[in-house]
Amino acid sequence: QVQLVESGGGLVQAGGSLRLSCAASGRTFSNYDTGWFRQAPGKEREFVAAINWSGGNTFYRDSVKGRFIISRDNAKNTVYLQMNSLKPEDTAVYYCAADRDRLFPTARVNAYDYWGQGTQVTVSS
């Protein structure tokens, strides 16, 4: 079992930046591939970015490529999502998720076994 807690969300103007953190506790976090997802009101949860267990490989949805960077520090049991050049369409609740079966690269919601509670990101125009 892995417990995930996101932080770092907030309100930012378009063009600004935010850094989300996902702190893990429980089983050895470095055993899990990890992803970030987001869900806007009235929309389905969608994949944003993923990183494999070692941090050596990353994977992004097209709309965030070149703007978002996913990284991890296994010594700190933490995954990060650096979000730059934010747009109003990035507004959503952002969730961290862990995949125990190491299916990287995968954007499927049901491939991830553990989820955090989410953190709100709001980008104003």
Side-chain angles (χ1 to χ4, degrees):
Q1 193 82 351
V2 173
Q3 293 78 42
L4 304 172
V5 178
E6 302 94 335
S7 62
L11 173 63
V12 64
Q13 288 189 332
S17 298
L18 282 174
R19 188 194 197 198
L20 305 184
S21 298
C22 173
S25 61
R27 289 184 177 267
T28 305
F29 186 56
S30 59
N31 289 341
Y32 299 83
D33 296 336
T34 309
W36 285 96
F37 289 75
R38 65 188 181 188
Q39 187 166 19
K43 295 188 177 181
E44 292 187 353
R45 191 167 298 189
E46 66 180 19
F47 170 78
V48 176
I51 189 165
N52 75 327
W53 63 274
S54 70
N57 292 286
T58 57
F59 173 51
Y60 299 91
R61 72 178 294 111
D62 286 346
S63 63
V64 307
K65 285 180 181 177
R67 299 190 298 124
F68 291 11
I69 301 172
I70 188 171
S71 62
R72 69 189 298 158
D73 185 339
N74 285 339
K76 296 182 177 179
N77 288 340
T78 303
V79 174
Y80 305 97
L81 186 67
Q82 177 68 44
M83 304 187 296
N84 301 318
S85 301
L86 282 161
K87 304 176 181 180
E89 52 264 41
D90 294 318
T91 295
V93 177
Y94 282 69
Y95 298 90
C96 173
D99 165 25
R100 66 188 173 200
D101 297 320
R102 296 193 186 180
L103 299 175
F104 181 93
T106 179
R108 293 187 294 111
V109 172
N110 61 8
Y112 292 82
D113 306 288
Y114 305 104
W115 292 83
Q117 83 290 347
T119 185
Q120 176 70 47
V121 171
T122 303
V123 184
S124 63
S125 57

